[in-house]
Amino acid sequence: MPMRDPDLPKDDISPPFELATSALRSPEDNVSLWQFMTVSWMSPLISVGYKRQLNDEDVWKLSYQFQHSRLLENFREVQGSVVKRLMKANGLDLTIQTILGIIENLGNFAAPVLLQQLLRSMEDITAPKRATIIYAVLTLVARLIASQAACLGLWFSRRSYERSRGEMITMLYEKTLSRKTLGFVPESKEEKESQEDDGYDGMNGHALSSPKSSNRVKDFFDRIRKSKLIHLSCLPRQKQQVTKHETNQPASLGKILNLMRNDVYEVSQRFWEFQQIVLAPFNMIVSIALIWKLIGWPCLIGAVAIIVAQVANAFIARIILKRERIRRVALDIRLKATTEFVDAIRHLRWYGWQDAWLSKILDARQRELDLRVINSLWGQMISFTNTLSKGMFPVIAFWAYTTLAGKPLYVDTLFPAYSLFNMLSNSMRFIPHLIVTLLNSFVAVGRIENFMDEPDKQEIDTHDELDSKLSFRNASFVWPGSQVPVLKDVNLSFSSGLTVICGKVGSGKSAMLQALLGELDKTDGQLVRPDEVYGYCAQKPWLQSASIRENILFQSPYDDVRYKQVLEACALTTDFANFKHGDLSNIGENGIGLSGGQKARVALARAIYSRAKILLLDDPISALDYQTAETIVRKCLQGPLLEGRTTILVTHRTELVHTMAEQVVEINDGYARILGSEATFPKNMSLSMSAEHAEGEITEPNQEEQDAAVPERFIEDEHRATGGVKARVYWEYIKAGTIRWWIGIVVVIAVYRLIAVAESWYLKQWGEAYRQQEVQSDPIITDIFDHFPPPQDNVRPWLIGFAMIGVASAVAYLISRIVMLVIIYTAGKQMFLEIMKRVSFATFQFYDKTPVGRLMNRLTSDIGTIDGNISDQFQMVAWLAILWVSSLIVIASVTPAFLVFSLVLTVSFVIIFLRFLPTSQSLRRLEMVSLSPLMSNFGALVEGLTTVRAFCAQGRFQDRAIVVTDAFQKMDHFFWTLQAWLQYRFDVLSAFSTLILTLLALFTGVSPGLTAFVLVASSGFVDATHSICRQYGQLQMDFVSVERVVELLHLEQESSGSVKPPARWPSYAGDIVFDHVTIRYAPHLEPALSSISLRIKAGSNTAIVGRTGSGKTTLALSLIATMVPESGQISIDSVDISSVDKQALRTRVTFLAQEPLLFPGTMRQNLDPLNEHSDDECTGVLSRIFGGVSEDEGSDAQQRQWTLGTQIDSGGDNLSQGQRQLVGLARAILRRSPIVILDEATASIDLVTALRMQQILREELQNATVITIAHRLEAVQNADYCIALGKGGTLLGHGPAAQMLKDVGSEGLGIENGL
């Protein structure tokens, strides 16, 4: 490539014109000057794309200079603010593209100058035509130079865009890896104000059914009229508030995704358009200078209109800047709510709360749309003032020229001046866009700067002494962002061997591990902490969407012997034998394909497999049945894999491990003490099963099972449509914007175009009126102008007519923009409402196989496209189509030769375009699909950041982010390179077309005035033909986003149920009956429950026991109809739940998962999100759950002080797992459903508290049917009834609990083989 650094590596470069493959780098790294200038090196990719749909392996790797590993490495070395770093890193490209832009514009400006000379040369009919031909050829040369500069300029501007975007994405990812994980920060006053009603009562929030289009449009105008958002007096205050909000509020996942997907694009887009910052004023100055050359000093008087317009625009721009900050906050709020909704959708559906949460999202969406509309209206005011000033500039200039200067406006002066005025107006038309986008990018870069200024993880003075032990020395810690100590004056040291940490729920056990990892802020004392890898197993297992083996290895080298030892120690070998593809099976996002116990053991295996000398294990055995937990204790914690390693285990199941511990530490209200040998621990009921018997349960799989091959993908590949965007996709969008408004926009654009043609004809008549004898006009039109006096006698009527046309043009333009804004508003609002409803009520299988990042990609970037430029693209296509037809009519009216050539020209454009379109569509779809993993990576990183840091895996994750970004960026890079290929060929064809049209005019004897008119029309025709192909292609590309959104409109929906149960259903006297029930998660999978038949008596306390993966949770979820039985029937109180109304079922049956869902907000909002209970009821339940432990029993002080106003962070991140389970229990008690299902709801709670919770549940839900899934048998010791499940979801036995538990201990039922 020309100007390429010769020192860059030349290996793995694909030779030009050879078959494209992802194994080689782009040919642009090694092409000739001609190949680079004409973009001909893209031919192999175009050929493949023309024949079939492209796949990732068909697309070259990025050129070396675009690869993000190199970009990030260089970007790290640049110092300063974000903007300064970007400018320094991309300064050369910015300079080159600006120079090329100037060359392109000079070539374009040469056209009207040469047009003037060409028209003058045609005035003398008897003169030779040589001069005219020379001017026509010079025009061709000028346009070819401009075309080449435009092609090269696009490549260099895209390079600066892609590099700056990649630098910012990798920078944000790197910052996310290092930033401090802040705890809950109270909602700021600014955010609350941004969520106020602002004079309306919520958008879609109260309209989950589709409103009529007339109501939507009326709603649109009512909001504009009533909204306080448009008031100017509040703006300075809002600016201060939002700035303070953005500075102080830590970035949520939704905001980080918004920064990556929107703010980064906003800033990098300015690098693409950087030359316009120079060219817009440059074009204005050159235009005015050339107009000066044509008409002299009168142009300065005309410039007054521009100056007045720009002064008004400066005021409007200040308003837009302030409003944009507020809109960005509203967008953050909507994305945050949407992210939380997508993350929590299963839990919301289980509780029947999805409608309330959906209303919250739709209200946030409405606020965002309102702010977007108001901002757009201010932006249209800038466009209107510029369009009006563009119309008034020539009017005032021509007035000064004809009246003050007293000169005639002949055709050879008027039309070149008119062309220059049009070029000036085009520059001015871009200025509003430039102003608004610069202001938006100013806000965006400020938000990015604020994120980069967030504090990094505190570098604690760890006093890493030689041969020192991991220890605390009078150390105190707080959670980041909090002032309340969570650990106080801790003095502990951890030597080789096992240390057990125990204590009440919320006492600070997990906080101690976080302190050892350096995640907490140290306020006093010392922490002696070796700087090395830590094998960390989080209380809430964090797994990646990959195979089980990849999760365990965590990118460590594969050691077959050690790996199999770890699987055996973590009791995973038998589980893998049940999977079709063993440990190579993909487990889905966050381990959705595994049970809770399996996820915990995979996370434990990851820590054990690592070579870390220090292991921090946060209660990994809480979710395990007793036999599995005992096996792990014996084979793992006591086994050879932990010899010589420092292991710190947080657990409530102290009875299993205290005898083997080097020390046992109890945490009480943040204080730590070592328990002596005389300490006693609660004894688990299940200890009656002997170790020898438990050992006999573990069966050794055969070698074939151990070596299971080829992975089975749990998550499907993201769907990609093929071919062009289907007509039904366009129709869906048109319907969403309401058809009559689309008809309106076409009519207004047609009127606008008619005014433009009338203006051109008006100028022709005006110019030729000075030489009336030469006028060749239609008699009807001539009659119209007969009422005008000769301009040399009285030019005022001509000026007034011209001014009226200018005003009419500006008004038509404004009306078209407002109508389009209505379409954007109604389409965006309606489509978002519909897809959110479809997502909210999709089948549960959809959530299982769809990663959050993929869904968020469609709900953010694709919706952003619908909200943004797509309607403008539609409007532009309509405008260009009308321009094309009108230009063709004008050309055909002059001479048939023009018409024939125009049709031939059109065919040529279409042939080139059809060659281009299939490849561009494939690349665009690949780009959108490759964006989903990038967003998933950000989400996964935020969720598992502590684990990543503990394993010192930041570098590996950064490398993975670079690979994913490269994959996404290469599709975008070649898509726009293909645009350059198309642009170059269209521009060259347009240049030659203009030459031929000029020669046709010359040799057909047309008058100079009519020639000028035809050349203006033909120029419009060529530009329209050129632009309509490109614009239609861009519309197709943008409609890929609509296509992806429309796919969500056709999601398979869960049956809502046809039977409306009576209000008293289910009664407290209704039994639950399973009649030969078989359930599968997918047709190709083995049954999760196999021919289950049993009856659960009403009002009973029923226990469900079984080994991990035996189908206990499946049985529980079947009671809220999340899956329909393949055969058999489940009935509650004599009603078949497969046909009952699902919303009624889930609001009357409570399912409490092991990991309860908590929302950001107050404790009151978490206990009763629908506000169905009084404060007194909520307080009473809260006091029962959290206030029932005296200080003597050692409960956490903070926990005893919890109130309804206690703030909860997103996902309950500021609470321990045990505390979250207590909130879940409080929620279940408050609902007081006739049927309550507890799925390991006390697994992370200490034994004393768990027994107390069982007592509270028996007292508060004494008439309800309580079904408890538990591995700890003490949680069900007072059960009335017991169900035992075995391998493959089979029923091993059921009956009275006392007898069943006795049989389990005495091996009477053989349950020991399944448990």
Side-chain angles (χ1 to χ4, degrees), residues 1240-1254:
E1240 280 292 336
T1242 59
S1244 298
I1245 299 174
D1246 62 277
L1247 181 58
V1248 174
T1249 306
L1251 292 174
R1252 187 171 63 84
M1253 290 301 108
Q1254 290 293 322

Side-chain angles (χ1 to χ4, degrees), residues 504-569:
K504 299 292 182 182
V505 174
S507 58
K509 302 181 297 299
S510 296
M512 178 166 285
L513 298 190
Q514 295 294 311
L516 291 171
L517 290 171
E519 296 290 342
L520 301 190
D521 288 345
K522 179 166 64 67
T523 59
D524 196 14
Q526 295 179 355
L527 168 62
V528 178
R529 178 178 178 271
D531 187 14
E532 58 186 59
V533 173
Y534 288 74
Y536 175 59
C537 178
Q539 188 176 33
K540 182 179 178 181
W542 174 75
L543 301 175
Q544 303 171 82
S545 181
S547 71
I548 300 172
R549 179 179 294 184
E550 289 172 313
N551 272 281
I552 293 174
L553 297 182
F554 208 49
Q555 299 187 2
S556 296
Y558 178 72
D559 181 330
D560 187 66
V561 174
R562 180 179 178 83
Y563 181 74
K564 290 181 177 178
Q565 288 175 343
V566 170
L567 296 188
E568 181 66 21

Side-chain angles (χ1 to χ4, degrees), residues 652-895:
H652 293 300
R653 304 176 79 167
T654 50
E655 76 285 348
L656 287 173
V657 294
H658 72 93
T659 57
M660 67 187 71
E662 296 292 329
Q663 63 179 352
V664 178
V665 177
E666 182 184 45
I667 309 292
N668 186 359
D669 198 15
Y671 292 97
R673 70 185 183 98
I674 299 176
L675 300 180
S677 57
E678 71 282 356
T680 58
F681 299 93
K683 184 178 180 180
N684 189 297
M685 287 177 59
S686 299
L687 289 176
S688 58
M689 178 176 285
S690 66
E692 291 79 9
H693 179 75
E695 188 173 346
E697 293 183 329
I698 306 299
T699 60
E700 291 294 330
N702 58 38
Q703 187 63 32
E704 182 180 353
E705 289 175 332
Q706 288 188 350
D707 297 333
V710 191
E712 178 180 39
R713 290 178 297 185
F714 189 85
I715 291 180
E716 298 176 353
D717 287 338
E718 187 166 6
H719 172 71
R720 275 194 298 136
T722 58
V725 177
K726 304 299 186 291
R728 63 177 178 81
V729 176
Y730 291 101
W731 181 241
E732 290 282 357
Y733 184 77
I734 290 171
K735 285 193 301 181
T738 63
I739 297 174
R740 71 166 181 266
W741 286 104
W742 285 107
I743 295 173
I745 193 67
V746 172
V747 171
V748 174
I749 291 174
V751 171
Y752 183 66
R753 174 56 185 160
L754 184 63
I755 292 171
V757 173
E759 184 178 43
S760 181
W761 186 264
Y762 186 88
L763 290 177
K764 171 193 172 295
Q765 291 294 129
W766 186 359
E768 292 186 334
Y770 286 97
R771 298 166 179 168
Q772 191 62 41
Q773 69 279 5
E774 297 179 15
V775 174
Q776 300 177 14
S777 302
D778 185 274
I780 298 175
I781 299 177
T782 304
D783 290 342
I784 296 173
F785 286 97
D786 283 345
H787 299 288
F788 284 74
Q792 58 267 38
D793 297 336
N794 183 9
V795 77
R796 180 172 296 178
W798 296 91
L799 289 168
I800 292 174
F802 191 38
M804 290 174 63
I805 291 174
V807 172
S809 178
V811 171
Y813 177 77
L814 180 63
I815 293 173
S816 71
R817 300 304 300 169
I818 291 177
V819 173
M820 185 52 66
L821 190 57
V822 173
I823 291 173
I824 293 172
Y825 173 86
T826 53
K829 175 177 177 176
Q830 186 64 16
M831 293 197 82
F832 186 81
L833 169 63
E834 292 299 327
I835 66 170
M836 289 306 299
K837 286 167 58 180
R838 301 295 291 186
V839 169
S840 299
F841 297 99
T843 62
F844 281 83
Q845 286 79 4
F846 169 74
Y847 308 136
D848 293 339
K849 63 186 181 183
T850 305
V852 170
R854 181 186 301 174
L855 190 53
M856 284 302 299
N857 185 18
R858 300 197 181 199
L859 296 178
T860 54
S861 61
D862 292 326
I863 286 293
T865 301
I866 292 173
D867 286 344
N869 295 327
I870 197 161
S871 293
D872 288 342
Q873 300 289 353
F874 240 129
Q875 182 179 5
M876 188 59 68
V877 168
W879 158 252
L880 290 170
I882 293 170
L883 175 61
W884 188 88
V885 172
S886 60
S887 299
L888 189 64
I889 292 172
V890 169
I891 291 170
S893 66
V894 176
T895 172

Side-chain angles (χ1 to χ4, degrees), residues 335-356:
L335 290 180
K336 179 182 178 182
T338 305
T339 303
E340 291 166 351
F341 177 78
V342 171
D343 282 335
I345 183 64
R346 292 181 185 84
H347 294 262
L348 294 171
R349 296 276 298 279
W350 292 341
Y351 281 101
W353 289 345
Q354 69 283 339
D355 285 347

